[in-house]
Amino acid sequence: MAHSQACLLHNDKQPIQCSGTLRKGGDCLNRAYGSFAPGMLPTCRIHRRQQKRKGRCRAPLHCGFECGRLCEWKLHGTELCLEHREHRITCYFLKIPVEMRLRIYQLLLPDRPIPARYEKSSLASDGGGVYTAILCVNQQIHDEAAGLLYQTRVFSIELHGDWLSMCNLSQNNAQHRCFGFQQHPVEGHQWQQTTLTQTISSNQVQTKSPNVAANLAIEPIWNAPLSNRYFDMIQSFRIEIILPSPNACWLPNPHAASHKASLSRLLDYCDHLHILIGRLRTMQRSISRLDIVFKFGNGYLNREDAFPTAQFLLRPFRRLHNVANPSLLSIAIQDPHGYVELLTPDQAPTPTSTRFGVFLDHLYGLMTSSQPLPELPVFKAYWQLTKLLLYMKEHYRHTDPKIRKIARLLYSARYIREVEDCSGFRAIWNQVVETWTDCLHEYVDFQRNMALSIDAIHGTIQNGL
């Protein structure tokens, strides 16, 4: 007891030294004078403009008490006086079992699913705040807390129009769609049935084609707003597909003229889903949970129309595998009073819903399989064709009728890609080769006419001048 009182007496009688810092570095050794602001350290006349918050040294003494001398307060750190500046303070937080630390992290980090877009909604179930600053303490705490956050929370990804949103960040994916080609309605399947060999052998013009075979692009992959390290740690996803109110029905029927524009927009959604699934396929670990939600706008009042549309948009998910628990949570249609849920147990089964249920069972079987579904050549050929057509577009005017025809062929190829019609894609490829051959013929005719004109002018100059 006497030793403890001596320590406290020593702290009370410590000299009041200036807390200022010299220009050349180091601490000022002058004595402080006069009064100073409450909660601030004392300074001399020279350093009176240097204001530092007051703290007490927390270095432990041999007697078991803290030093208690005046020192500068630190936001992230332990307050230490000049004498104990080199003293190491033990962090007892890292001494407790990791299970206890994880329980503490749960109180600081979000404990609700992470929505794709949110403004002022709380990410805590009790409506309180979250304190993600715990991730910035040190490397060990960061790795433990980040593992808890990304591996146990459900992260939502929202597809709405040309935007993919995640973690309150939205990215426009229009640049991925068809590599900049303009949208055109899908035309009917009226293609010339000729083989690729017959088309090429009929070409009389021998010229070198553009060297793009070495750089044919594979499918584009979504650039998620999170870094690859954190995105690959996520094990649970919720994908929300929101289709706004259409001007016409969205049913995938390419033969009806009134449905061409809507089908083109539906194929845009398939493009975005493919680039999203392409990113999910690059993850090394399996996905433990994948929930899918459909929200249709105020144009899907007919229940029989919503199921075929949802089934068409679910086709890209067949390319996923190693998904432990896939689930279609909801198909909702908006009406003046809100959203009406279609996937309810009290709904009477219909032929459409029955076929949709069979499709879902088959889809779940593919997604939970340990082996991916063999990729059909038509899928890879579509992205290669897109790259090739982009190359042709860069070398010809955008208003050229042949380029516009190629753009329409590309949108027809998108529908063929989704229905996996290999013969139809081969017919489109024949048309592309035919169009390219016409371009070559035009170029050769242009060269021949230019050569004749130059020879004629040259003869006139040589003979007449």
Side-chain angles (χ1 to χ4, degrees):
M1 176 65 75
H3 183 64
S4 301
Q5 292 178 351
C7 293
L8 295 177
L9 181 62
H10 170 73
N11 293 339
D12 292 339
K13 292 184 178 181
Q14 62 174 320
I16 303 179
Q17 181 180 331
C18 176
S19 62
T21 304
L22 302 177
R23 290 185 178 179
K24 297 182 180 180
D27 300 314
C28 178
L29 301 178
N30 298 334
R31 293 179 62 87
Y33 82 99
S35 60
F36 44 87
M40 298 296 176
L41 289 176
T43 58
C44 64
R45 297 177 185 272
I46 300 175
H47 301 107
R48 61 182 180 271
R49 295 185 180 276
Q50 295 186 14
Q51 297 292 324
K52 299 179 181 180
R53 292 188 61 179
K54 181 172 62 175
R56 293 284 182 177
C57 179
R58 301 184 59 184
L61 301 177
H62 294 290
C63 61
F65 288 84
E66 293 182 350
C67 174
R69 292 181 180 178
L70 288 178
C71 62
E72 182 181 358
W73 178 81
K74 303 275 188 188
L75 176 61
H76 298 292
T78 305
E79 296 87 352
L80 297 174
C81 63
L82 297 178
E83 182 178 347
H84 299 102
R85 181 171 295 179
E86 303 299 328
H87 185 82
R88 293 182 178 272
I89 302 296
T90 302
C91 180
Y92 292 98
F93 181 74
L94 298 178
K95 300 292 184 180
I96 64 177
V98 64
E99 294 82 5
M100 296 297 296
R101 292 200 298 271
L102 292 177
R103 295 191 63 179
I104 295 175
Y105 300 148
Q106 289 180 349
L107 301 176
L108 301 176
L109 298 175
D111 59 353
R112 295 177 56 189
I114 311 300
R117 293 184 299 161
Y118 56 92
E119 295 180 357
K120 297 182 180 180
S121 58
S122 176
L123 298 181
S125 57
D126 59 357
V130 296
Y131 306 93
T132 55
I134 190 66
L135 298 170
C136 304
V137 175
N138 60 33
Q139 187 66 41
Q140 180 179 349
I141 294 178
H142 172 273
D143 293 342
E144 294 175 351
L148 175 68
L149 174 62
Y150 292 105
Q151 295 177 11
T152 62
R153 302 294 179 261
V154 179
F155 283 78
S156 297
I157 301 175
E158 180 185 285
L159 172 57
H160 189 178
D162 290 330
W163 295 87
L164 277 170
S165 303
M166 181 181 183
C167 296
N168 218 25
L169 296 173
S170 299
Q171 181 182 13
N172 191 312
N173 294 277
Q175 68 272 17
H176 294 294
R177 188 177 64 248
C178 300
F179 292 90
F181 275 96
Q182 218 172 8
Q183 294 188 27
H184 294 280
V186 177
E187 296 180 337
H189 300 276
Q190 299 177 358
W191 299 299
Q192 182 181 359
Q193 298 297 328
T194 56
T195 63
L196 177 61
T197 305
Q198 293 173 344
T199 304
I200 296 180
S201 61
S202 63
N203 299 340
Q204 301 298 327
V205 181
Q206 300 295 330
T207 183
K208 188 176 182 180
S209 59
N211 184 19
V212 296
N215 297 317
L216 290 178
I218 59 174
E219 60 171 314
I221 296 178
W222 180 47
N223 184 21
L226 296 177
S227 66
N228 293 336
R229 174 191 176 187
Y230 297 132
F231 189 88
D232 292 340
M233 293 171 62
I234 301 175
Q235 297 185 8
S236 301
F237 291 95
R238 174 187 172 97
I239 300 178
E240 301 178 1
I241 304 174
I242 302 178
L243 293 89
S245 302
N247 296 325
C249 183
W250 288 62
L251 283 177
N253 182 4
H255 302 288
S258 60
H259 293 170
K260 290 180 180 179
S262 297
L263 176 58
S264 178
R265 190 59 177 156
L266 202 63
L267 291 171
D268 291 341
Y269 271 73
C270 290
D271 283 346
H272 302 320
L273 290 174
H274 277 297
I275 67 172
L276 170 59
I277 292 172
R279 178 62 184 89
L280 296 178
R281 282 162 57 95
T282 63
M283 300 177 64
Q284 299 298 325
R285 66 176 66 196
S286 61
I287 299 176
S288 61
R289 178 180 175 186
L290 180 64
D291 299 332
I292 305 174
V293 174
F294 282 97
K295 293 183 179 179
F296 294 113
N298 190 17
Y300 296 92
L301 299 181
N302 188 351
R303 179 174 179 240
E304 297 300 315
D305 292 346
F307 284 112
T309 305
Q311 179 174 338
F312 189 78
L313 292 176
L314 286 172
R315 294 177 68 90
F317 289 92
R318 296 180 301 173
R319 301 173 54 229
L320 285 177
H321 68 286
N322 276 339
V323 180
N325 187 21
S327 175
L328 177 61
L329 291 184
S330 171
I331 298 180
I333 297 178
Q334 187 179 18
D335 65 7
H337 304 287
Y339 280 96
V340 178
E341 177 60 47
L342 299 185
L343 297 179
T344 56
D346 57 345
Q347 290 284 353
T350 62
T352 302
S353 62
T354 302
R355 289 192 298 268
F356 184 72
V358 173
F359 169 81
L360 279 183
D361 293 337
H362 177 66
L363 177 64
Y364 293 159
L366 296 176
M367 296 175 66
T368 56
S369 174
S370 59
Q371 298 296 328
L373 186 69
E375 201 85 89
L376 291 180
V378 66
F379 187 81
K380 182 179 180 180
Y382 169 79
W383 296 112
Q384 293 175 331
L385 177 62
T386 304
K387 181 69 174 181
L388 175 65
L389 299 186
L390 176 62
Y391 188 89
M392 296 175 64
K393 178 186 175 184
E394 292 176 350
H395 288 74
Y396 290 89
R397 296 189 308 272
H398 182 71
T399 57
D400 192 296
K402 296 183 179 60
I403 300 301
R404 296 178 65 87
K405 177 183 177 182
I406 289 175
R408 289 191 292 269
L409 289 176
L410 183 61
Y411 268 78
S412 299
R414 286 203 302 165
Y415 179 79
I416 292 175
R417 174 198 68 191
E418 294 304 319
V419 299
E420 300 175 352
D421 183 5
C422 295
S423 61
F425 194 91
R426 188 179 296 108
I428 286 186
W429 171 242
N430 293 336
Q431 291 194 53
V432 172
V433 174
E434 183 179 332
T435 303
W436 170 246
T437 304
D438 293 342
C439 293
L440 296 181
H441 281 295
E442 289 183 0
Y443 182 72
V444 172
D445 292 341
F446 172 77
Q447 284 184 318
R448 184 185 300 109
N449 294 332
M450 287 295 297
L452 293 175
S453 299
I454 291 174
D455 291 341
I457 296 175
H458 180 73
T460 302
I461 293 177
Q462 293 294 331
N463 298 328
L465 298 180

